[in-house]
């Protein structure tokens, strides 16, 4: 009897050890992907030789004042989607997600170029910084892992209890009604 308990305890300890090894592997994979994402973002933000994005300065729109003596302070960032996907070997699923994100945010794009604009301030350098922050936010959203939803169902007892509550409520409402002569007969 004691030998059997010792053996089952040893088996339990072995399975616990396996779980921790699996958890370690998952954690290493997460760290690797996070490190890869950080490297991709750093490379894109450094933008070697204008490979991924270019900034163009255009005349900011707005109301009022004369049109003379105005500088080009609106920053237009053109992001090359094809270079981004070809250089970093990103899955097609994330490409679909990218299009979905851009579509939801109502951002101008065609098949290969994404255009982001900013004209919040009157300074071109601040507008450039803000439009780069916007690009970084979009890329971070692209790499964000979606947590799987655990579907839950309402138990049979809860459904039955809900039906009874509804029936009691309808009964209470029905008793409040005025009695009409047609109801008596």
């Amino acid at each position: 009897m004691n030998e059997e308990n010792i053996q089952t305890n040893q088996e339990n300890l072995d399975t616990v050890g396996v779980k921790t090894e699996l958890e370690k592997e998952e954690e290493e994979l997460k760290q690797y992907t996070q490190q890869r994402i950080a490297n991709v973002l750093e490379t894109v933000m450094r933008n070697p030789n204008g490979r991924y994005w270019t900034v163009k300065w255009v005349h900011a729109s707005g109301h009022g004042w004369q049109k003379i003596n105005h500088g080009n302070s609106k920053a237009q960032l053109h992001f090359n989607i094809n270079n981004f996907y070809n250089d970093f070997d990103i899955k097609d699923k994330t490409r679909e997600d990218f299009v979905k994100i851009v579509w939801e945010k109502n951002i101008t794009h065609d098949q290969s170029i994404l255009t982001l604009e900013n004209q919040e301030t009157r300074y071109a350098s601040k507008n450039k910084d803000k439009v780069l922050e916007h690009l970084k936010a979009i890329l971070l959203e692209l790499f964000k892992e979606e947590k799987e939803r655990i579907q839950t169902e309402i138990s049979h007892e809860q459904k039955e209890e809900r039906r009874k509550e509804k029936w009691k409520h309808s009964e209470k409402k029905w008793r409040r009604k005025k009695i009409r002569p047609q109801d008596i007969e």
Side-chain angles (χ1 to χ4, degrees):
M1 189 88 166
N2 287 337
E3 291 176 13
E4 290 175 14
N5 288 341
I6 292 171
Q7 190 175 11
T8 54
N9 287 341
Q10 186 63 35
E11 289 173 6
N12 289 341
L13 288 174
D14 291 341
T15 57
V16 169
V18 170
K19 287 181 183 177
T20 56
E21 288 176 14
L22 289 174
E23 289 172 356
K24 286 180 183 177
E25 287 177 11
E26 288 177 5
E27 189 175 316
E28 287 175 4
L29 182 65
K30 282 184 182 179
Q31 286 178 349
Y32 170 76
T33 54
Q34 288 174 350
Q35 191 175 30
R36 184 168 183 257
I37 290 168
N39 290 340
V40 167
L41 285 175
E42 181 184 338
T43 306
V44 169
M45 290 299 128
R46 269 190 294 124
N47 193 30
N49 302 323
R51 177 138 178 87
Y52 303 109
W53 52 265
T54 57
V55 174
K56 183 177 163 186
W57 309 106
V58 293
H59 189 76
S61 62
H63 37 195
W65 304 103
Q66 298 293 326
K67 296 202 187 264
I68 57 171
N69 298 333
H70 281 255
N72 293 336
S73 61
K74 180 180 184 178
Q76 268 188 348
L77 183 133
H78 300 285
F79 181 70
N80 192 322
I81 299 169
N82 290 337
N83 287 348
F84 175 69
Y85 278 96
N86 293 338
D87 288 356
F88 297 112
D89 191 35
I90 297 172
K91 301 177 204 164
D92 288 335
K93 181 193 175 292
T94 51
R95 189 175 194 130
E96 292 169 6
D97 291 344
F98 187 76
V99 171
K100 181 181 169 189
I101 290 167
V102 168
W103 181 260
E104 286 174 355
K105 293 183 181 275
N106 200 15
I107 299 171
T108 308
H109 75 288
D110 62 6
Q111 294 298 327
S112 60
I113 302 291
L114 169 72
T115 304
L116 301 172
E117 297 178 343
N118 190 303
Q119 62 177 8
E120 290 179 15
T121 66
R122 60 189 294 179
Y123 302 105
S125 60
K126 287 184 181 179
N127 287 336
K128 178 185 174 188
D129 292 342
K130 287 188 178 194
V131 80
L132 284 172
E133 286 176 17
H134 190 192
L135 175 65
K136 189 173 184 177
I138 290 172
L139 294 177
L140 282 173
E141 190 173 339
L142 172 67
F143 289 118
K144 183 173 63 174
E145 287 185 22
E146 291 183 19
K147 295 181 182 177
E148 282 190 35
R149 182 181 178 273
I150 301 171
Q151 290 187 340
T152 57
E153 276 191 37
I154 299 172
S155 68
H156 182 70
E157 292 82 22
Q158 288 175 334
K159 286 181 182 179
E160 194 62 38
E161 188 177 321
R162 187 165 174 256
R163 281 191 205 112
K164 286 179 183 176
E165 289 295 322
K166 283 182 167 186
W167 185 81
K168 285 179 185 177
H169 188 69
S170 68
E171 192 73 22
K172 180 170 56 173
K173 293 268 193 181
W174 181 78
R175 288 183 185 172
R176 287 185 198 155
K177 270 198 315 192
K178 292 182 180 178
I179 299 175
R180 298 178 298 182
Q182 299 101 353
D183 293 337
I184 295 174
E185 295 173 1

